[in-house]
């Protein structure tokens, strides 16, 4: 939801000044973006609205499949971390009476799995998922540093 709010803010910030300036100049042509441009912007991995973005000529479907396979692998790895490291920790703590020592041990034993899950989420979403959609949309601006 935060991402969609940021995209809506960018869309409004880029288009309202154009519309207001054309109304102030009393010109007959008001450039309003098409729905297809807005939909492309919603799915493109960028937070800055433009009417046109650089596009690749073709889609590399092997690259897309590899990225989705990496997302799937990340999900299985996160499941493995939960099953092997998190669930046994909390299963034992639910049977014991509450004390501060048990709470602190449970928190410290959950730090490493939590950090691993956090890295997996960042890798799966920010790298794999967004690059797969960028490739399917032929979004070429991600090749900036090449």
């Amino acid at each position: 939801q935060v991402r969609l709010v940021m995209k809506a803010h960018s869309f409004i910030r880029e288009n309202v000044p154009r519309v207001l300036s054309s109304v102030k100049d009393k010109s007959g042509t008001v450039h309003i973006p098409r729905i297809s441009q807005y939909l492309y912007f919603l799915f493109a991995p960028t937070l800055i609205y433009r009417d046109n973005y650089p596009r690749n000529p073709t889609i590399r479907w092997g690259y897309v499949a590899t990225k989705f396979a990496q997302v799937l692998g990340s999900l299985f790895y996160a499941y493995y971390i939960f099953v092997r490291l998190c669930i046994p920790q909390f299963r034992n703590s639910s049977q014991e009476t509450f004390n501060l020592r048990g709470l602190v041990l449970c928190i410290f034993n959950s730090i490493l799995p939590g950090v691993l899950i956090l890295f997996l989420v960042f890798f799966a979403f920010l790298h794999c998922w967004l690059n797969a959609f960028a490739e399917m949309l032929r979004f070429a601006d991600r090749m900036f540093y090449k």
Side-chain angles (χ1 to χ4, degrees):
Q1 291 174 347
V2 172
R3 182 177 146 266
L4 291 176
V5 168
M6 291 171 75
K7 282 185 176 261
H9 174 75
S10 175
F11 180 77
I12 291 168
R13 186 178 173 115
E14 289 293 322
N15 289 307
V16 167
R18 281 193 279 178
V19 171
L20 291 178
S21 68
S22 65
V23 168
K24 187 170 43 171
D25 295 341
K26 306 261 192 262
S27 61
T29 59
V30 178
H31 180 71
I32 298 173
R34 296 186 311 269
I35 296 293
S36 62
Q37 290 173 323
Y38 182 68
L39 286 176
Y40 182 86
F41 170 63
L42 282 181
F43 288 100
T46 183
L47 293 174
I48 300 171
Y49 176 79
R50 297 287 179 254
D51 289 333
N52 296 312
Y53 294 97
R55 307 282 296 265
N56 287 333
T58 59
I59 298 173
R60 299 174 294 169
W61 290 107
Y63 181 78
V64 173
T66 302
K67 292 301 170 192
F68 281 134
Q70 288 176 348
V71 170
L72 193 61
S74 297
L75 289 174
F76 281 123
Y77 189 47
Y79 172 76
Y80 180 78
I81 289 172
F82 272 116
V83 167
R84 295 293 179 184
L85 299 175
C86 294
I87 292 175
Q89 193 64 243
F90 291 104
R91 184 178 296 141
N92 294 338
S93 66
S94 66
Q95 296 170 353
E96 298 172 2
T97 59
F98 178 76
N99 59 7
L100 187 59
R101 180 182 177 274
L103 177 67
V104 170
L105 283 175
C106 194
I107 289 172
F108 278 112
N109 287 333
S110 298
I111 288 175
L112 180 63
V115 169
L116 288 173
I117 297 286
L118 185 67
F119 284 147
L120 280 172
V121 167
F122 280 121
F123 173 74
F125 180 71
L126 293 178
H127 178 69
C128 299
W129 189 263
L130 291 179
N131 270 320
F133 271 95
E135 186 66 33
M136 287 189 293
L137 293 173
R138 298 186 299 133
F139 186 77
D141 210 19
R142 63 196 163 94
M143 303 292 183
F144 179 77
Y145 292 108
K146 269 196 166 180

